[in-house]
Amino acid sequence: MAASTCLPLLIVFDLDYTLWPFWVDTHVQPPFRKQGDKIVDAHGDVIKHYKDSPAILKRLHDQGIKIGVASRTSAITPAKQLVDLFGWKKYISYTQIYPGSKIPHFKAIQKESGIDYSQMIFFDDEHRNIRDISTLGVFCVDVPNGMSMKLLEDSLKQFEQRCKEL
C-alpha cells in the first residue's frame, strides 16, 4: 500500500485534558466570552487550550482528514461554546458531547460519517474510554499530557505502520 492510503479518514478528539487542560464541567465557570484576543470565563479568568491544539486541527483539516470531537461532559453548552470561541468549529465535522459511555458517541459518528472504525484514530486521556473504543476497532491513543504535534505525528506513523501490516 502507498503511504498516502495509510492516513486515517477521521480523527476524533476528547476535549477535557486532551485539547484543553481542564474539565469544562468543574474547573471553569461559564458563560465564556471574548475579551480582546483572550477567552475568559464568568470570573474573568483566562481560558487556555493546549498550545498545539489549534495547529493540529488546522493541519488535519488542510490534509483532508475529517475531525470529530467526543466528550462525555455534562457541560454540553459550555463545551460547545469553547469550541466555537477557540475558532475550532470550522475544522470539526462531527460533534458528540453528552454524558455517558463514548461507544454511543462513536456509533453516531460512524453512522453520520460512513467511515469504518478501522479508518479512525481516537485521542483521549482516560483509559476507560480508550478501552471501550478500542473494542470497536478504532486505533486509540492515550494522551497523558494533552495533545501535542509530536504525539500526533508519532500516532500517524503508528497508524500507517498498522495499515501496512494489514
Side-chain angles (χ1 to χ4, degrees):
M1 263 189 188
S4 64
T5 62
C6 289
L7 285 174
L9 298 178
L10 172 64
I11 295 182
V12 180
F13 295 95
D14 173 46
L15 294 172
D16 296 340
Y17 288 100
T18 300
L19 292 180
W20 54 56
F22 52 83
W23 285 308
V24 72
D25 55 353
T26 60
H27 288 82
V28 293
Q29 185 61 52
F32 308 106
R33 69 185 189 287
K34 282 238 183 214
Q35 187 171 13
D37 62 348
K38 295 178 171 40
I39 296 167
V40 297
D41 71 3
H43 298 297
D45 294 328
V46 176
I47 307 300
K48 294 183 179 182
H49 49 68
Y50 286 115
K51 179 177 72 87
D52 289 352
S53 293
I56 287 167
L57 296 174
K58 182 179 183 334
R59 174 183 165 178
L60 295 172
H61 183 265
D62 290 351
Q63 284 183 276
I65 297 171
K66 295 288 186 187
I67 300 168
V69 293
S71 176
R72 57 191 303 158
T73 185
S74 58
I76 299 165
T77 300
K80 288 180 178 180
Q81 185 184 24
L82 280 179
V83 166
D84 188 34
L85 286 170
F86 284 141
W88 298 347
K89 235 169 116 175
K90 63 188 171 209
Y91 302 126
I92 297 169
S93 299
Y94 310 102
T95 303
Q96 294 292 312
I97 302 175
Y98 48 87
S101 165
K102 287 202 179 171
I103 289 178
H105 293 78
F106 269 79
K107 287 186 175 182
I109 289 171
Q110 194 285 321
K111 183 176 181 182
E112 186 180 349
S113 70
I115 296 171
D116 190 82
Y117 293 126
S118 66
Q119 294 299 309
M120 298 180 189
I121 298 178
F122 175 48
F123 291 93
D124 198 310
D125 66 307
E126 289 191 55
H127 293 285
R128 65 181 171 171
N129 297 327
I130 297 281
R131 183 188 63 241
D132 289 351
I133 300 310
S134 66
T135 65
L136 298 174
V138 174
F139 183 79
C140 295
V141 180
D142 181 40
V143 182
N145 300 302
M147 278 306 300
S148 68
M149 197 59 80
K150 180 174 180 357
L151 180 60
L152 175 68
E153 290 168 0
D154 290 348
S155 301
L156 288 172
K157 286 176 188 166
Q158 291 170 355
F159 184 87
E160 182 178 346
Q161 187 60 42
R162 183 184 88 158
C163 175
K164 287 178 178 180
E165 292 170 359
L166 294 177

